[in-house]
Amino acid sequence: MTRPLYISDEEVSQLFTPEVALASQRAAFQALGEGAAILAPRVLVEGANDSVAFSYAARTNQSAGAVTKFGSVNPDNAKNGMPTISASVHVLYAETGLPRATLEATELTTIRTAAASALAVQELANADVKSLGIIGAGVQAKAHAVAISRVRDFEEIRITSRTLQRAKDLASELKDLVDVPVRVVNVESAAAANVVATCTTSFEPVIETAWVRPGATVVSVGAFAPDRFELPSSLLGRADIVVVDHRETSVEHSGSVRAALAEDGLDESDLLELGSVVIGKSPSRSAKKDIAVFVSVGVGIQDASAAEALLDSIDSRSND
């Protein structure tokens, strides 16, 4: 029996380029939208110090190999300079179910999450947006600034964080990674950008609804559990378009979505799925002044598609 591949975070960083990542996430959500993907319910296991372990399982289609991910979100790691999200992905052969590969998935998770947000911006944002606001200064904030800046021609990126020095450090890093001027601003200014990405693990909203301007597109990746409320529920109630990665998972797990359903008149039928938007079944926006919100909790099909793309890259290099 062939020994399964082991792919390190360093190798993932080299192979899972922004182009490959974006294509993998488009494929993932297209499969979801077309009903081809098979997605098991997501499992969350709470731990000490606000940590949450998670587990996903999915197939990109019925004939594809199964892919699982197991990992943890540990917010306190940031204080010690460690990633707040760590995980591993396991891939089985489609025909036999035997192990095909294990991937360190800290980098994979970061890159695929940002790529999905970039996909949402590509589908939802107005074409002539000028400013990108990033709220947060961790690894997801950095990845989002890089990924989203590739799908629109921004004139500036605005960075804000509760810790000023971290915002300054991120702004300095980004100057070597993006071809857009980067500046540190207050949170209200960041939230007033044409495109806003909230990249935190906050238990309370990090922006106010009144700060978001008509025509804005807001992306949230931090409301991944019932006790996380990165966006005010009133923003989801006010928005003209509310898109989620997967309706059932969001209704069960996203604090911001659950609160808006309970308190701000949002109905489950108002929640559009990104896959449905990608395949053109659901509209993106009907007017330039519409406010569009994308709330991502993360689903297993994203990892399945990302892992397939990575393994395809490795196979193609082996055959060259």
Side-chain angles (χ1 to χ4, degrees):
M1 189 174 74
T2 304
R3 187 173 183 177
L5 287 173
Y6 187 87
I7 304 171
S8 68
D9 270 333
E10 183 178 359
E11 292 171 302
V12 169
S13 296
Q14 294 171 354
L15 295 169
F16 203 40
T17 64
E19 294 80 12
V20 172
L22 183 60
S24 78
Q25 296 311 291
R26 181 169 288 279
F29 285 102
Q30 182 174 336
L32 266 183
E34 293 173 346
I38 299 173
L39 193 63
R42 189 174 73 149
V43 176
L44 295 180
V45 183
E46 296 183 2
N49 301 317
D50 299 327
S51 66
V52 180
F54 55 82
S55 178
Y56 305 149
R59 298 180 193 266
T60 54
N61 60 70
Q62 193 169 21
S63 300
V67 178
T68 67
K69 182 165 81 170
F70 181 64
S72 183
V73 180
N74 291 66
D76 281 358
N77 284 2
K79 301 173 184 176
N80 301 311
M82 296 186 292
T84 58
I85 302 174
S86 61
S88 59
V89 164
H90 307 276
V91 184
L92 305 182
Y93 281 106
E95 299 82 4
T96 64
L98 294 173
R100 180 183 178 189
T102 293
L103 293 74
E104 292 182 359
T106 298
E107 284 293 316
L108 184 82
T109 302
T110 298
I111 297 168
R112 70 81 157 145
T113 300
S117 294
L119 175 65
V121 170
Q122 201 171 47
E123 294 290 332
L124 299 172
N126 285 312
D128 60 349
V129 292
K130 303 301 182 186
S131 55
L132 169 61
I134 302 289
I135 297 172
V139 292
Q140 279 293 356
K142 177 182 175 181
H144 274 69
V146 172
I148 295 175
S149 65
R150 287 174 171 264
V151 299
R152 285 293 187 272
D153 293 324
F154 295 103
E155 294 181 355
E156 67 169 351
I157 296 176
R158 306 173 187 176
I159 304 293
T160 193
S161 173
R162 288 179 177 174
T163 306
L164 179 60
Q165 188 56 52
R166 292 192 69 198
K168 289 180 177 178
D169 290 344
L170 176 57
S172 180
E173 282 188 76
L174 288 175
K175 287 176 181 177
D176 296 325
L177 299 173
V178 299
D179 296 324
V180 186
V182 181
R183 62 191 183 97
V184 175
V185 300
N186 61 34
V187 65
E188 186 172 351
S189 178
N194 301 132
V195 176
V196 182
T198 56
C199 307
T200 74
T201 56
S202 180
F203 291 92
E204 58 188 26
V206 295
I207 63 174
E208 294 184 13
T209 300
W211 297 344
V212 178
R213 295 184 175 180
T217 299
V218 181
V219 172
S220 165
V221 296
F224 57 85
D227 59 351
R228 310 292 165 125
F229 300 91
E230 196 175 43
L231 299 182
S233 60
S234 59
L235 177 58
L236 276 67
R238 175 191 170 193
D240 300 282
I241 309 154
V242 179
V243 179
V244 295
D245 41 18
H246 186 252
R247 184 181 293 110
E248 184 179 343
T249 306
S250 297
V251 168
E252 182 177 356
H253 291 292
S254 173
S256 294
V257 171
R258 288 163 61 95
L261 291 171
E263 303 166 8
D264 290 277
L266 193 70
D267 189 83
E268 283 189 35
S269 62
D270 297 325
L271 300 173
L272 305 180
E273 293 189 320
L274 181 57
S276 184
V277 175
V278 166
I279 67 170
K281 186 177 179 180
S282 296
S284 54
R285 60 170 60 239
S286 58
K288 192 170 182 177
K289 64 179 179 58
D290 286 350
I291 291 176
V293 175
F294 173 59
V295 180
S296 170
V297 294
V299 286
I301 190 64
Q302 295 177 255
D303 304 298
S305 188
E308 283 190 3
L310 269 171
L311 292 173
D312 286 347
S313 295
I314 291 172
D315 289 343
S316 65
R317 291 188 179 200
S318 298
N319 294 329
D320 286 344

